[in-house]
Amino acid sequence: MEDEDLKPTLENLVENDKLQWVFVGGKGGVGKTTSSCSLATVLAGMPKEGRQRKVLLISTDPAHNLSDAFNQKFGRTPTKVEGVAGLEAMEIDPQGVKELTQNILDKFGGGANDDGMAGALSTIKDAFMSLPGIDEVSVLVHIMNEVKRLNYDVTVFDTAPTGHTLRLLALPHTINETIDKLSSVSGIGGLLTQAGSLVSSSTGLTSDEIKDATKGFAQTLKQVQVQFQDNKLTTFIPVCIPEFLPVYETERLVQELCKYKIDVQNIIVNQVIQTVPGEAPHPLLESRKRIQSKYMEQIHDLYEDFHVTKMPLLTNEVRGVPMLKTYGKYLMEQYDVASTGYI
């Protein structure tokens, strides 16, 4: 008899009223967007404390697909999803976020009172814009500000492929660790004070304003790290298909998430072939089922302590709210082709 505490569904997540951040990710082409969009529709349909739950769905993948999944155009600001009460969606535009950061830095250096100082500040600004991970930092800060401003209950991330996502999630930890190390260096305080005085005289900002801005940025990243490492508030759902490369990449992803203390309880396995009992066997389907069964055994061995949700290979593509809701239904209850038929 199957352990009731490890149902092969996402029910454990959806019923968690404290959950605030859900990341859905994995190798490209395994159905991350379908899974995240369907989960978002399910979450929006579950009341919280007797009221409509407010859900934000965000794509951080430069190759955005939310608009295609819902047949509705989304941009860099939250937009209500037609046909799903309580759900809003946005697609983070990396170029737009970069422009926002550029504009802030332009204002910051706009008060330079001589050509030499203006040139120095321009060099500092260019160096800042070329820092590895600055786009991801800008995305995180932008998202945190939007979520605070609009008071969402849950934010679901449709993430970029694995490598980009791991860098995004690791950044708060990495930057905070760097700040702590710098703070412990002997004499760094005096150096920062001198740098602050230089910037203050060049921009017209007071030293206190510069310190407050820097402190606010550091506090935001600390808050991100604390929330992402709280398993009551944050979880990551790896998505794969039963083939070698996706299963291998999922295991690497899970290990990295554990390294950064990010909770993983659920795995979604898409495109699982099921056939109706009694149907004449098809050579191609039977061959693929044998291949899949080998990797499904590996998945169950690797993730025996996880909720593993098997989603079927569908007869139609998942586009539009009705199909996303249908797909979401089987994230919440185990699909059985014998009783349900093909979908």
Side-chain angles (χ1 to χ4, degrees):
M1 182 175 178
E2 189 164 15
D3 189 340
E4 288 298 313
D5 293 332
L6 290 174
K7 292 181 180 179
T9 68
L10 302 188
E11 190 176 345
N12 60 307
L13 300 184
V14 174
E15 293 181 349
N16 177 8
D17 282 344
K18 294 182 180 179
L19 192 63
Q20 294 181 15
W21 308 95
V22 182
F23 293 86
V24 180
K27 184 175 170 59
V30 297
K32 297 186 300 294
T33 298
T34 297
S35 300
S36 60
C37 292
S38 299
L39 174 59
T41 64
V42 171
L43 285 166
M46 299 288 289
K48 180 175 181 179
E49 298 171 353
R51 61 172 174 80
Q52 172 69 57
R53 186 180 280 186
K54 193 173 182 183
V55 179
L56 176 64
L57 173 63
I58 298 177
S59 171
T60 60
D61 187 345
H64 297 305
N65 292 311
L66 299 188
S67 297
D68 295 327
F70 283 102
N71 291 324
Q72 178 184 344
K73 181 63 179 173
F74 300 113
R76 69 176 70 167
T77 57
T79 301
K80 291 185 182 299
V81 176
E82 297 167 4
V84 186
L87 177 60
E88 297 182 3
M90 62 188 289
E91 295 178 333
I92 293 292
D93 176 4
Q95 185 58 38
V97 174
K98 203 162 194 173
E99 288 171 5
L100 177 63
T101 309
Q102 183 82 42
N103 290 338
I104 292 171
L105 290 171
D106 285 343
K107 293 176 184 177
F108 182 71
N113 50 29
D114 62 64
D115 292 341
M117 188 58 67
L121 287 173
S122 177
T123 300
I124 293 170
K125 179 183 70 176
D126 290 343
F128 181 83
M129 290 298 295
S130 64
L131 283 173
I134 189 60
D135 289 344
E136 287 87 350
V137 171
S138 299
V139 165
L140 282 176
V141 172
H142 181 65
I143 289 169
M144 289 294 288
N145 290 337
E146 286 294 305
V147 170
K148 283 181 183 176
R149 184 173 67 88
L150 298 171
N151 197 29
Y152 293 99
D153 295 308
V154 188
T155 302
V156 179
F157 291 82
D158 175 38
T159 69
T162 306
H164 186 282
T165 299
L166 286 173
R167 189 169 66 170
L168 175 69
L169 293 174
L171 270 171
H173 172 84
T174 303
I175 293 176
N176 287 326
E177 195 174 62
T178 302
I179 291 172
D180 290 341
K181 286 180 179 178
L182 283 173
S183 300
S184 67
V185 175
S186 176
I188 193 70
L191 182 61
L192 291 176
T193 300
Q194 291 179 31
S197 299
L198 175 65
V199 175
S200 177
S201 64
S202 306
T203 63
L205 297 172
T206 68
S207 295
D208 286 342
E209 287 174 331
I210 294 168
K211 287 178 182 176
D212 287 345
T214 305
K215 185 178 179 181
F217 179 75
Q219 286 178 339
T220 298
L221 285 177
K222 285 279 187 187
Q223 184 183 2
V224 169
Q225 183 180 351
V226 169
Q227 291 198 12
F228 283 3
Q229 292 181 345
D230 187 334
N231 61 9
K232 294 184 179 65
L233 302 179
T234 303
T235 195
F236 196 108
I237 306 174
V239 181
C240 70
I241 58 177
E243 295 180 3
F244 172 75
L245 286 177
V247 171
Y248 174 79
E249 193 158 311
T250 297
E251 177 59 12
R252 184 170 69 89
L253 172 60
V254 170
Q255 290 178 5
E256 287 293 312
L257 291 170
C258 291
K259 175 182 172 182
Y260 292 109
K261 301 178 182 178
I262 295 173
D263 177 73
V264 185
Q265 302 178 34
N266 297 73
I267 308 280
I268 296 176
V269 186
N270 280 327
Q271 300 181 24
V272 178
I273 296 173
Q274 295 189 35
T275 52
V276 175
E279 278 190 346
H282 189 285
L284 176 61
L285 288 180
E286 293 304 311
S287 176
R288 295 298 300 175
K289 280 174 68 176
R290 284 193 296 272
I291 293 171
Q292 288 193 353
S293 66
K294 177 175 69 173
Y295 293 109
M296 286 307 305
E297 287 179 13
Q298 290 184 17
I299 289 169
H300 286 299
D301 288 342
L302 286 168
Y303 308 114
E304 61 180 355
D305 296 326
F306 292 69
H307 300 265
V308 178
T309 303
K310 295 185 291 185
M311 297 298 291
L313 181 65
L314 305 178
T315 58
N316 292 298
E317 60 182 353
V318 182
R319 291 191 67 191
V321 170
M323 274 300 293
L324 287 168
K325 286 185 174 180
T326 298
Y327 198 85
K329 174 184 177 183
Y330 295 107
L331 292 174
M332 294 294 292
E333 60 183 64
Q334 190 171 10
Y335 171 78
D336 176 40
V337 69
S339 57
T340 306
Y342 297 116
I343 56 174

